[in-house]
Amino acid sequence: ERQADKDGFIYVHDKSARMITMNCCLFDMEHVLKGGFKMGGIHYNEPSSLDTAFDVIGDIILNTAAQQYGGFTVPEVDKVLEYYAEKSYKKYTDEYIKEIQAALSVIVLPAKTVERAHDFAMKKIEREFRQGWQGIEYKLNTVGSSRGDYPFVTVTLGLGTTEFEKMISMSLLDVHRGGQGRPGNKKPVLFPKIVFLYDEALHGPGGSCEEVFEKG
């Protein structure tokens, strides 16, 4: 390898200064979150809701990206967050149904009430998606690392096919397009960079995720 590098057949990125550090990373966010973890000597419980998952993911990215050199990628973030969107959906629907049951003093509710509980939960989750991505963008573009730079963070998305997975992808694209800043003076931020994973079968004409690609 040394001779191949010397002769120019291969190229070792940043070998002169960074051979002893990790350089570029596809971070396994899903398995770090599942079951909880320890960071900075403190135990983090597994997030119990979508908004908490966003907060914890932001903390993890800032902490771990600052300990390495090069790009830091959270792969298939739509699939990672879908699990926590399901948790929030169940929490919100249960809350709505319990309130109605208490108000009406009944156990069995009409179908319309269940539909309203679904609509109520979905609006809450859409709001959490917007606020969560906005929080991530603020963190990644305002909190510098110990080196004085901002971690070069990327997320990949696009292959998720469930309703929540598609919502996750499209909400990030909407937030990123809208930019951050004062009303009337919003500008797009640098991070996270977004890599769209394209699959002709999913994103082509008539595909189940065509709308996600069109949003992109």
Side-chain angles (χ1 to χ4, degrees), residues 94-126:
D94 287 349
E95 285 178 1
Y96 187 91
I97 288 172
K98 285 178 182 178
E99 287 182 8
I100 298 300
Q101 285 176 328
L104 300 178
S105 299
V106 297
I107 297 176
V108 180
L109 295 172
K112 284 188 177 180
T113 302
V114 177
E115 290 177 8
R116 288 170 185 160
H118 170 77
D119 294 340
F120 171 80
M122 294 303 286
K123 287 180 181 178
K124 287 277 195 178
I125 289 172
E126 287 175 5

Side-chain angles (χ1 to χ4, degrees), residues 56-114:
V56 174
I57 286 173
D59 291 344
I60 292 172
I61 290 173
L62 290 177
N63 190 298
T64 50
Q67 297 181 49
Q68 66 155 62
Y69 184 73
F72 183 91
T73 299
V74 181
E76 298 195 81
V77 69
D78 46 349
K79 295 184 179 181
V80 173
L81 284 168
E82 196 258 356
Y83 176 72
Y84 302 99
E86 289 282 1
K87 283 190 172 187
S88 281
Y89 177 81
K90 185 177 187 306
K91 180 183 75 171
Y92 289 134
T93 52
D94 287 349
E95 285 178 1
Y96 187 91
I97 288 172
K98 285 178 182 178
E99 287 182 8
I100 298 300
Q101 285 176 328
L104 300 178
S105 299
V106 297
I107 297 176
V108 180
L109 295 172
K112 284 188 177 180
T113 302
V114 177

Side-chain angles (χ1 to χ4, degrees), residues 88-215:
S88 281
Y89 177 81
K90 185 177 187 306
K91 180 183 75 171
Y92 289 134
T93 52
D94 287 349
E95 285 178 1
Y96 187 91
I97 288 172
K98 285 178 182 178
E99 287 182 8
I100 298 300
Q101 285 176 328
L104 300 178
S105 299
V106 297
I107 297 176
V108 180
L109 295 172
K112 284 188 177 180
T113 302
V114 177
E115 290 177 8
R116 288 170 185 160
H118 170 77
D119 294 340
F120 171 80
M122 294 303 286
K123 287 180 181 178
K124 287 277 195 178
I125 289 172
E126 287 175 5
R127 182 170 176 270
E128 285 190 13
F129 280 144
R130 290 194 303 271
Q131 291 183 332
W133 286 126
Q134 185 177 49
I136 291 287
E137 288 198 340
Y138 274 126
K139 281 185 179 181
L140 299 185
N141 294 279
T142 60
V143 182
S145 74
S146 59
R147 298 187 303 270
D149 62 1
Y150 294 96
F152 196 107
V153 178
T154 302
V155 298
T156 74
L157 50 78
L159 298 181
T161 58
T162 69
E163 183 178 13
F164 285 135
E165 288 169 341
K166 291 192 284 187
M167 284 176 63
I168 290 162
S169 295
M170 291 192 288
S171 63
L172 173 55
L173 293 167
D174 276 335
V175 168
H176 188 69
R177 181 176 57 185
Q180 303 295 346
R182 296 190 303 273
N185 192 37
K186 294 194 174 192
K187 298 179 180 178
V189 297
L190 287 174
F191 304 114
K193 299 297 185 186
I194 302 172
V195 173
F196 194 103
L197 304 176
Y198 181 83
D199 184 327
E200 180 71 24
L202 295 176
H203 303 112
S208 61
C209 296
E210 183 182 5
E211 61 183 324
V212 182
F213 177 70
E214 291 302 322
K215 178 76 72 173

